Amino acid sequence: MYAVSLKRDGTIDHQQNAVDSDVLKYLSFQIGLEEGYTLRSFFEMIGKYALLGKLNSFLPTYTEQYLACPQQGCDSAALDHLEFAKTVEMIGYPEKRLEIYSSVSGIQNKDSVEIRSLQLNSLLDMPLKLGRLKHVVFGDRVDIFEFDTVFTLFEFIDGITWELSFHVIPEQCQLRR
């Protein structure tokens, strides 16, 4: 499988050369993240490669929110890092089916933490790492099998965007404390 490296500054490298504007041909390539890659790096990449911003209809909204955030210090002391992972779930009742989906979660002391209540401005500067594939058999969350896996550039972009649509509650919807 072909591979690209996603850099902290938003650049996509293929064979140690920065990818030009013809980025769509790399969507099926396996990705690796440079050490220190963050959610901010993700939005920098979307800004550098305008075509990527058209892959998901939610991206322009999140890009606007990103641009309104401070340029640094957007992290949460409650998390060690963010993790992008994939799940394959076999479901047997009432109908048999197989679901494959991506997720983004917070990690604290090696435990997964829900990030649903955190705003984008507390996630942008959190380190983002690639996780493993979790295999859930017939809803049995006790015996979850984990495997090494690969992620494509398209899965990464679409998965993060999709997760942000569920995990980041608009500021006006948060309960006042």
Side-chain angles (χ1 to χ4, degrees), residues 56-87:
N56 188 301
S57 60
F58 293 112
L59 262 173
T61 301
Y62 294 119
T63 300
E64 284 178 28
Q65 288 180 17
Y66 156 71
L67 293 171
C69 289
Q71 294 192 10
Q72 59 187 4
C74 296
D75 58 9
S76 171
L79 303 173
D80 297 329
H81 67 274
L82 298 174
E83 183 176 84
F84 183 78
K86 192 184 306 185
T87 301

PDB file of all heavy atoms in Angstrom, residues 56-87:
ATOM      1  N   ASN A  56     -16.307  16.707   2.682  1.00  0.00           N
ATOM      2  CA  ASN A  56     -17.390  16.513   3.640  1.00  0.00           C
ATOM      3  C   ASN A  56     -18.113  17.848   3.815  1.00  0.00           C
ATOM      4  O   ASN A  56     -17.465  18.873   4.030  1.00  0.00           O
ATOM      5  CB  ASN A  56     -16.822  16.009   4.971  1.00  0.00           C
ATOM      6  CG  ASN A  56     -17.887  15.614   5.948  1.00  0.00           C
ATOM      7  OD1 ASN A  56     -18.724  16.421   6.327  1.00  0.00           O
ATOM      8  ND2 ASN A  56     -17.848  14.363   6.392  1.00  0.00           N
ATOM      9  N   SER A  57     -19.423  17.821   3.767  1.00  0.00           N
ATOM     10  CA  SER A  57     -20.190  19.071   3.832  1.00  0.00           C
ATOM     11  C   SER A  57     -20.110  19.763   5.192  1.00  0.00           C
ATOM     12  O   SER A  57     -20.441  20.938   5.304  1.00  0.00           O
ATOM     13  CB  SER A  57     -21.646  18.819   3.449  1.00  0.00           C
ATOM     14  OG  SER A  57     -22.235  17.881   4.319  1.00  0.00           O
ATOM     15  N   PHE A  58     -19.647  19.061   6.232  1.00  0.00           N
ATOM     16  CA  PHE A  58     -19.508  19.671   7.550  1.00  0.00           C
ATOM     17  C   PHE A  58     -18.183  20.430   7.696  1.00  0.00           C
ATOM     18  O   PHE A  58     -18.043  21.267   8.578  1.00  0.00           O
ATOM     19  CB  PHE A  58     -19.573  18.617   8.658  1.00  0.00           C
ATOM     20  CG  PHE A  58     -20.912  17.969   8.796  1.00  0.00           C
ATOM     21  CD1 PHE A  58     -21.078  16.629   8.465  1.00  0.00           C
ATOM     22  CD2 PHE A  58     -22.007  18.669   9.262  1.00  0.00           C
ATOM     23  CE1 PHE A  58     -22.306  16.013   8.594  1.00  0.00           C
ATOM     24  CE2 PHE A  58     -23.242  18.069   9.400  1.00  0.00           C
ATOM     25  CZ  PHE A  58     -23.397  16.735   9.061  1.00  0.00           C
ATOM     26  N   LEU A  59     -17.204  20.128   6.860  1.00  0.00           N
ATOM     27  CA  LEU A  59     -15.874  20.719   7.016  1.00  0.00           C
ATOM     28  C   LEU A  59     -15.851  22.246   6.995  1.00  0.00           C
ATOM     29  O   LEU A  59     -15.157  22.838   7.817  1.00  0.00           O
ATOM     30  CB  LEU A  59     -14.918  20.153   5.978  1.00  0.00           C
ATOM     31  CG  LEU A  59     -14.025  19.023   6.471  1.00  0.00           C
ATOM     32  CD1 LEU A  59     -13.240  18.417   5.329  1.00  0.00           C
ATOM     33  CD2 LEU A  59     -13.124  19.445   7.583  1.00  0.00           C
ATOM     34  N   PRO A  60     -16.576  22.909   6.108  1.00  0.00           N
ATOM     35  CA  PRO A  60     -16.535  24.384   6.145  1.00  0.00           C
ATOM     36  C   PRO A  60     -16.990  24.968   7.492  1.00  0.00           C
ATOM     37  O   PRO A  60     -16.405  25.941   7.980  1.00  0.00           O
ATOM     38  CB  PRO A  60     -17.488  24.790   5.008  1.00  0.00           C
ATOM     39  CG  PRO A  60     -17.442  23.637   4.068  1.00  0.00           C
ATOM     40  CD  PRO A  60     -17.319  22.413   4.946  1.00  0.00           C
ATOM     41  N   THR A  61     -17.978  24.367   8.112  1.00  0.00           N
ATOM     42  CA  THR A  61     -18.453  24.837   9.417  1.00  0.00           C
ATOM     43  C   THR A  61     -17.373  24.697  10.476  1.00  0.00           C
ATOM     44  O   THR A  61     -17.115  25.624  11.246  1.00  0.00           O
ATOM     45  CB  THR A  61     -19.709  24.045   9.847  1.00  0.00           C
ATOM     46  OG1 THR A  61     -20.713  24.219   8.859  1.00  0.00           O
ATOM     47  CG2 THR A  61     -20.220  24.500  11.201  1.00  0.00           C
ATOM     48  N   TYR A  62     -16.716  23.539  10.510  1.00  0.00           N
ATOM     49  CA  TYR A  62     -15.670  23.328  11.507  1.00  0.00           C
ATOM     50  C   TYR A  62     -14.427  24.146  11.206  1.00  0.00           C
ATOM     51  O   TYR A  62     -13.719  24.547  12.127  1.00  0.00           O
ATOM     52  CB  TYR A  62     -15.361  21.837  11.654  1.00  0.00           C
ATOM     53  CG  TYR A  62     -16.560  21.129  12.234  1.00  0.00           C
ATOM     54  CD1 TYR A  62     -17.197  20.132  11.537  1.00  0.00           C
ATOM     55  CD2 TYR A  62     -17.087  21.529  13.449  1.00  0.00           C
ATOM     56  CE1 TYR A  62     -18.329  19.525  12.050  1.00  0.00           C
ATOM     57  CE2 TYR A  62     -18.216  20.932  13.962  1.00  0.00           C
ATOM     58  CZ  TYR A  62     -18.835  19.930  13.261  1.00  0.00           C
ATOM     59  OH  TYR A  62     -19.960  19.351  13.771  1.00  0.00           O
ATOM     60  N   THR A  63     -14.169  24.406   9.947  1.00  0.00           N
ATOM     61  CA  THR A  63     -13.040  25.259   9.589  1.00  0.00           C
ATOM     62  C   THR A  63     -13.290  26.686  10.088  1.00  0.00           C
ATOM     63  O   THR A  63     -12.380  27.339  10.617  1.00  0.00           O
ATOM     64  CB  THR A  63     -12.800  25.237   8.067  1.00  0.00           C
ATOM     65  OG1 THR A  63     -12.521  23.886   7.676  1.00  0.00           O
ATOM     66  CG2 THR A  63     -11.635  26.124   7.676  1.00  0.00           C
ATOM     67  N   GLU A  64     -14.517  27.167   9.964  1.00  0.00           N
ATOM     68  CA  GLU A  64     -14.863  28.494  10.501  1.00  0.00           C
ATOM     69  C   GLU A  64     -14.666  28.534  12.010  1.00  0.00           C
ATOM     70  O   GLU A  64     -14.132  29.503  12.549  1.00  0.00           O
ATOM     71  CB  GLU A  64     -16.311  28.849  10.164  1.00  0.00           C
ATOM     72  CG  GLU A  64     -16.541  29.257   8.733  1.00  0.00           C
ATOM     73  CD  GLU A  64     -18.011  29.557   8.453  1.00  0.00           C
ATOM     74  OE1 GLU A  64     -18.740  29.966   9.384  1.00  0.00           O
ATOM     75  OE2 GLU A  64     -18.428  29.383   7.292  1.00  0.00           O
ATOM     76  N   GLN A  65     -15.111  27.484  12.713  1.00  0.00           N
ATOM     77  CA  GLN A  65     -14.930  27.422  14.162  1.00  0.00           C
ATOM     78  C   GLN A  65     -13.440  27.397  14.508  1.00  0.00           C
ATOM     79  O   GLN A  65     -13.004  28.058  15.456  1.00  0.00           O
ATOM     80  CB  GLN A  65     -15.622  26.190  14.742  1.00  0.00           C
ATOM     81  CG  GLN A  65     -17.123  26.281  14.741  1.00  0.00           C
ATOM     82  CD  GLN A  65     -17.764  25.029  15.317  1.00  0.00           C
ATOM     83  OE1 GLN A  65     -17.120  24.229  15.985  1.00  0.00           O
ATOM     84  NE2 GLN A  65     -19.046  24.863  15.052  1.00  0.00           N
ATOM     85  N   TYR A  66     -12.674  26.637  13.746  1.00  0.00           N
ATOM     86  CA  TYR A  66     -11.228  26.556  13.972  1.00  0.00           C
ATOM     87  C   TYR A  66     -10.592  27.940  13.820  1.00  0.00           C
ATOM     88  O   TYR A  66      -9.768  28.352  14.653  1.00  0.00           O
ATOM     89  CB  TYR A  66     -10.610  25.555  12.983  1.00  0.00           C
ATOM     90  CG  TYR A  66      -9.159  25.795  12.710  1.00  0.00           C
ATOM     91  CD1 TYR A  66      -8.198  25.527  13.674  1.00  0.00           C
ATOM     92  CD2 TYR A  66      -8.735  26.303  11.482  1.00  0.00           C
ATOM     93  CE1 TYR A  66      -6.851  25.751  13.422  1.00  0.00           C
ATOM     94  CE2 TYR A  66      -7.395  26.520  11.221  1.00  0.00           C
ATOM     95  CZ  TYR A  66      -6.468  26.255  12.201  1.00  0.00           C
ATOM     96  OH  TYR A  66      -5.139  26.479  11.949  1.00  0.00           O
ATOM     97  N   LEU A  67     -10.953  28.665  12.776  1.00  0.00           N
ATOM     98  CA  LEU A  67     -10.373  29.975  12.527  1.00  0.00           C
ATOM     99  C   LEU A  67     -10.717  30.989  13.617  1.00  0.00           C
ATOM    100  O   LEU A  67      -9.979  31.956  13.832  1.00  0.00           O
ATOM    101  CB  LEU A  67     -10.795  30.494  11.150  1.00  0.00           C
ATOM    102  CG  LEU A  67     -10.228  29.710   9.963  1.00  0.00           C
ATOM    103  CD1 LEU A  67     -10.873  30.162   8.654  1.00  0.00           C
ATOM    104  CD2 LEU A  67      -8.709  29.841   9.903  1.00  0.00           C
ATOM    105  N   ALA A  68     -11.823  30.773  14.326  1.00  0.00           N
ATOM    106  CA  ALA A  68     -12.234  31.672  15.404  1.00  0.00           C
ATOM    107  C   ALA A  68     -11.543  31.346  16.736  1.00  0.00           C
ATOM    108  O   ALA A  68     -11.642  32.117  17.686  1.00  0.00           O
ATOM    109  CB  ALA A  68     -13.752  31.608  15.582  1.00  0.00           C
ATOM    110  N   CYS A  69     -10.830  30.238  16.807  1.00  0.00           N
ATOM    111  CA  CYS A  69     -10.155  29.822  18.042  1.00  0.00           C
ATOM    112  C   CYS A  69      -8.823  30.545  18.196  1.00  0.00           C
ATOM    113  O   CYS A  69      -8.227  30.985  17.217  1.00  0.00           O
ATOM    114  CB  CYS A  69      -9.905  28.310  18.013  1.00  0.00           C
ATOM    115  SG  CYS A  69     -11.396  27.320  18.202  1.00  0.00           S
ATOM    116  N   PRO A  70      -8.341  30.644  19.441  1.00  0.00           N
ATOM    117  CA  PRO A  70      -7.002  31.212  19.658  1.00  0.00           C
ATOM    118  C   PRO A  70      -5.947  30.407  18.894  1.00  0.00           C
ATOM    119  O   PRO A  70      -6.138  29.221  18.624  1.00  0.00           O
ATOM    120  CB  PRO A  70      -6.784  31.065  21.168  1.00  0.00           C
ATOM    121  CG  PRO A  70      -8.160  30.938  21.745  1.00  0.00           C
ATOM    122  CD  PRO A  70      -8.991  30.266  20.694  1.00  0.00           C
ATOM    123  N   GLN A  71      -4.827  31.047  18.574  1.00  0.00           N
ATOM    124  CA  GLN A  71      -3.796  30.394  17.770  1.00  0.00           C
ATOM    125  C   GLN A  71      -2.898  29.457  18.561  1.00  0.00           C
ATOM    126  O   GLN A  71      -2.053  28.778  17.989  1.00  0.00           O
ATOM    127  CB  GLN A  71      -2.968  31.439  17.034  1.00  0.00           C
ATOM    128  CG  GLN A  71      -3.797  32.163  16.005  1.00  0.00           C
ATOM    129  CD  GLN A  71      -2.941  32.986  15.067  1.00  0.00           C
ATOM    130  OE1 GLN A  71      -1.726  32.893  15.057  1.00  0.00           O
ATOM    131  NE2 GLN A  71      -3.598  33.797  14.261  1.00  0.00           N
ATOM    132  N   GLN A  72      -3.086  29.391  19.867  1.00  0.00           N
ATOM    133  CA  GLN A  72      -2.336  28.448  20.697  1.00  0.00           C
ATOM    134  C   GLN A  72      -3.035  28.270  22.034  1.00  0.00           C
ATOM    135  O   GLN A  72      -3.956  29.008  22.364  1.00  0.00           O
ATOM    136  CB  GLN A  72      -0.898  28.918  20.905  1.00  0.00           C
ATOM    137  CG  GLN A  72      -0.784  30.271  21.567  1.00  0.00           C
ATOM    138  CD  GLN A  72       0.651  30.738  21.583  1.00  0.00           C
ATOM    139  OE1 GLN A  72       1.544  30.106  21.042  1.00  0.00           O
ATOM    140  NE2 GLN A  72       0.887  31.866  22.222  1.00  0.00           N
ATOM    141  N   GLY A  73      -2.621  27.268  22.780  1.00  0.00           N
ATOM    142  CA  GLY A  73      -3.170  27.032  24.107  1.00  0.00           C
ATOM    143  C   GLY A  73      -4.545  26.381  24.114  1.00  0.00           C
ATOM    144  O   GLY A  73      -5.244  26.445  25.117  1.00  0.00           O
ATOM    145  N   CYS A  74      -4.926  25.754  23.041  1.00  0.00           N
ATOM    146  CA  CYS A  74      -6.250  25.121  22.954  1.00  0.00           C
ATOM    147  C   CYS A  74      -6.137  23.638  23.294  1.00  0.00           C
ATOM    148  O   CYS A  74      -6.153  22.775  22.416  1.00  0.00           O
ATOM    149  CB  CYS A  74      -6.843  25.295  21.551  1.00  0.00           C
ATOM    150  SG  CYS A  74      -7.158  26.995  21.102  1.00  0.00           S
ATOM    151  N   ASP A  75      -5.974  23.366  24.578  1.00  0.00           N
ATOM    152  CA  ASP A  75      -5.873  21.969  24.998  1.00  0.00           C
ATOM    153  C   ASP A  75      -6.622  21.762  26.299  1.00  0.00           C
ATOM    154  O   ASP A  75      -7.108  22.702  26.910  1.00  0.00           O
ATOM    155  CB  ASP A  75      -4.416  21.534  25.117  1.00  0.00           C
ATOM    156  CG  ASP A  75      -3.615  22.395  26.089  1.00  0.00           C
ATOM    157  OD1 ASP A  75      -4.211  23.218  26.810  1.00  0.00           O
ATOM    158  OD2 ASP A  75      -2.385  22.241  26.125  1.00  0.00           O
ATOM    159  N   SER A  76      -6.727  20.516  26.693  1.00  0.00           N
ATOM    160  CA  SER A  76      -7.463  20.152  27.897  1.00  0.00           C
ATOM    161  C   SER A  76      -6.523  19.419  28.847  1.00  0.00           C
ATOM    162  O   SER A  76      -5.902  18.419  28.458  1.00  0.00           O
ATOM    163  CB  SER A  76      -8.640  19.240  27.541  1.00  0.00           C
ATOM    164  OG  SER A  76      -9.225  18.720  28.703  1.00  0.00           O
ATOM    165  N   ALA A  77      -6.443  19.896  30.066  1.00  0.00           N
ATOM    166  CA  ALA A  77      -5.598  19.240  31.069  1.00  0.00           C
ATOM    167  C   ALA A  77      -6.170  17.884  31.471  1.00  0.00           C
ATOM    168  O   ALA A  77      -5.482  17.063  32.067  1.00  0.00           O
ATOM    169  CB  ALA A  77      -5.458  20.136  32.291  1.00  0.00           C
ATOM    170  N   ALA A  78      -7.427  17.632  31.118  1.00  0.00           N
ATOM    171  CA  ALA A  78      -8.078  16.374  31.488  1.00  0.00           C
ATOM    172  C   ALA A  78      -7.665  15.205  30.591  1.00  0.00           C
ATOM    173  O   ALA A  78      -7.996  14.066  30.878  1.00  0.00           O
ATOM    174  CB  ALA A  78      -9.594  16.546  31.435  1.00  0.00           C
ATOM    175  N   LEU A  79      -6.928  15.478  29.498  1.00  0.00           N
ATOM    176  CA  LEU A  79      -6.562  14.431  28.547  1.00  0.00           C
ATOM    177  C   LEU A  79      -5.061  14.388  28.311  1.00  0.00           C
ATOM    178  O   LEU A  79      -4.399  15.422  28.342  1.00  0.00           O
ATOM    179  CB  LEU A  79      -7.255  14.671  27.205  1.00  0.00           C
ATOM    180  CG  LEU A  79      -8.772  14.768  27.190  1.00  0.00           C
ATOM    181  CD1 LEU A  79      -9.248  15.170  25.806  1.00  0.00           C
ATOM    182  CD2 LEU A  79      -9.390  13.449  27.615  1.00  0.00           C
ATOM    183  N   ASP A  80      -4.553  13.193  28.034  1.00  0.00           N
ATOM    184  CA  ASP A  80      -3.153  13.042  27.632  1.00  0.00           C
ATOM    185  C   ASP A  80      -3.010  13.278  26.128  1.00  0.00           C
ATOM    186  O   ASP A  80      -2.061  13.908  25.688  1.00  0.00           O
ATOM    187  CB  ASP A  80      -2.631  11.645  27.969  1.00  0.00           C
ATOM    188  CG  ASP A  80      -2.646  11.372  29.465  1.00  0.00           C
ATOM    189  OD1 ASP A  80      -2.482  12.326  30.251  1.00  0.00           O
ATOM    190  OD2 ASP A  80      -2.839  10.197  29.846  1.00  0.00           O
ATOM    191  N   HIS A  81      -3.954  12.721  25.351  1.00  0.00           N
ATOM    192  CA  HIS A  81      -3.964  12.904  23.910  1.00  0.00           C
ATOM    193  C   HIS A  81      -5.307  12.455  23.337  1.00  0.00           C
ATOM    194  O   HIS A  81      -6.145  11.909  24.051  1.00  0.00           O
ATOM    195  CB  HIS A  81      -2.801  12.142  23.231  1.00  0.00           C
ATOM    196  CG  HIS A  81      -2.904  10.652  23.309  1.00  0.00           C
ATOM    197  ND1 HIS A  81      -2.436   9.936  24.380  1.00  0.00           N
ATOM    198  CD2 HIS A  81      -3.409   9.743  22.440  1.00  0.00           C
ATOM    199  CE1 HIS A  81      -2.645   8.642  24.176  1.00  0.00           C
ATOM    200  NE2 HIS A  81      -3.245   8.493  23.002  1.00  0.00           N
ATOM    201  N   LEU A  82      -5.494  12.709  22.045  1.00  0.00           N
ATOM    202  CA  LEU A  82      -6.666  12.235  21.320  1.00  0.00           C
ATOM    203  C   LEU A  82      -6.245  11.008  20.510  1.00  0.00           C
ATOM    204  O   LEU A  82      -5.090  10.903  20.104  1.00  0.00           O
ATOM    205  CB  LEU A  82      -7.202  13.309  20.370  1.00  0.00           C
ATOM    206  CG  LEU A  82      -7.678  14.605  21.012  1.00  0.00           C
ATOM    207  CD1 LEU A  82      -8.032  15.626  19.932  1.00  0.00           C
ATOM    208  CD2 LEU A  82      -8.865  14.355  21.912  1.00  0.00           C
ATOM    209  N   GLU A  83      -7.210  10.109  20.283  1.00  0.00           N
ATOM    210  CA  GLU A  83      -6.903   8.910  19.514  1.00  0.00           C
ATOM    211  C   GLU A  83      -7.958   8.689  18.443  1.00  0.00           C
ATOM    212  O   GLU A  83      -9.146   8.703  18.726  1.00  0.00           O
ATOM    213  CB  GLU A  83      -6.844   7.702  20.444  1.00  0.00           C
ATOM    214  CG  GLU A  83      -6.452   6.417  19.744  1.00  0.00           C
ATOM    215  CD  GLU A  83      -6.305   5.278  20.712  1.00  0.00           C
ATOM    216  OE1 GLU A  83      -7.342   4.648  21.036  1.00  0.00           O
ATOM    217  OE2 GLU A  83      -5.166   5.035  21.169  1.00  0.00           O
ATOM    218  N   PHE A  84      -7.484   8.494  17.223  1.00  0.00           N
ATOM    219  CA  PHE A  84      -8.343   8.168  16.092  1.00  0.00           C
ATOM    220  C   PHE A  84      -8.277   6.655  15.931  1.00  0.00           C
ATOM    221  O   PHE A  84      -7.195   6.089  15.773  1.00  0.00           O
ATOM    222  CB  PHE A  84      -7.848   8.874  14.829  1.00  0.00           C
ATOM    223  CG  PHE A  84      -8.717   8.640  13.629  1.00  0.00           C
ATOM    224  CD1 PHE A  84      -9.909   9.326  13.478  1.00  0.00           C
ATOM    225  CD2 PHE A  84      -8.345   7.734  12.652  1.00  0.00           C
ATOM    226  CE1 PHE A  84     -10.714   9.109  12.364  1.00  0.00           C
ATOM    227  CE2 PHE A  84      -9.131   7.517  11.539  1.00  0.00           C
ATOM    228  CZ  PHE A  84     -10.331   8.207  11.403  1.00  0.00           C
ATOM    229  N   ALA A  85      -9.425   5.984  16.001  1.00  0.00           N
ATOM    230  CA  ALA A  85      -9.455   4.522  15.948  1.00  0.00           C
ATOM    231  C   ALA A  85     -10.572   4.046  15.033  1.00  0.00           C
ATOM    232  O   ALA A  85     -11.418   4.819  14.594  1.00  0.00           O
ATOM    233  CB  ALA A  85      -9.641   3.953  17.352  1.00  0.00           C
ATOM    234  N   LYS A  86     -10.560   2.760  14.768  1.00  0.00           N
ATOM    235  CA  LYS A  86     -11.552   2.137  13.897  1.00  0.00           C
ATOM    236  C   LYS A  86     -12.181   0.970  14.657  1.00  0.00           C
ATOM    237  O   LYS A  86     -11.494   0.271  15.395  1.00  0.00           O
ATOM    238  CB  LYS A  86     -10.849   1.624  12.636  1.00  0.00           C
ATOM    239  CG  LYS A  86     -11.744   1.199  11.516  1.00  0.00           C
ATOM    240  CD  LYS A  86     -10.981   0.610  10.324  1.00  0.00           C
ATOM    241  CE  LYS A  86      -9.905   1.484   9.778  1.00  0.00           C
ATOM    242  NZ  LYS A  86      -9.255   0.954   8.565  1.00  0.00           N
ATOM    243  N   THR A  87     -13.492   0.768  14.454  1.00  0.00           N
ATOM    244  CA  THR A  87     -14.198  -0.342  15.091  1.00  0.00           C
ATOM    245  C   THR A  87     -14.928  -1.150  14.031  1.00  0.00           C
ATOM    246  O   THR A  87     -15.551  -0.579  13.126  1.00  0.00           O
ATOM    247  CB  THR A  87     -15.222   0.182  16.135  1.00  0.00           C
ATOM    248  OG1 THR A  87     -14.523   0.945  17.119  1.00  0.00           O
ATOM    249  CG2 THR A  87     -15.963  -0.955  16.808  1.00  0.00           C
TER     250      THR A  87
END
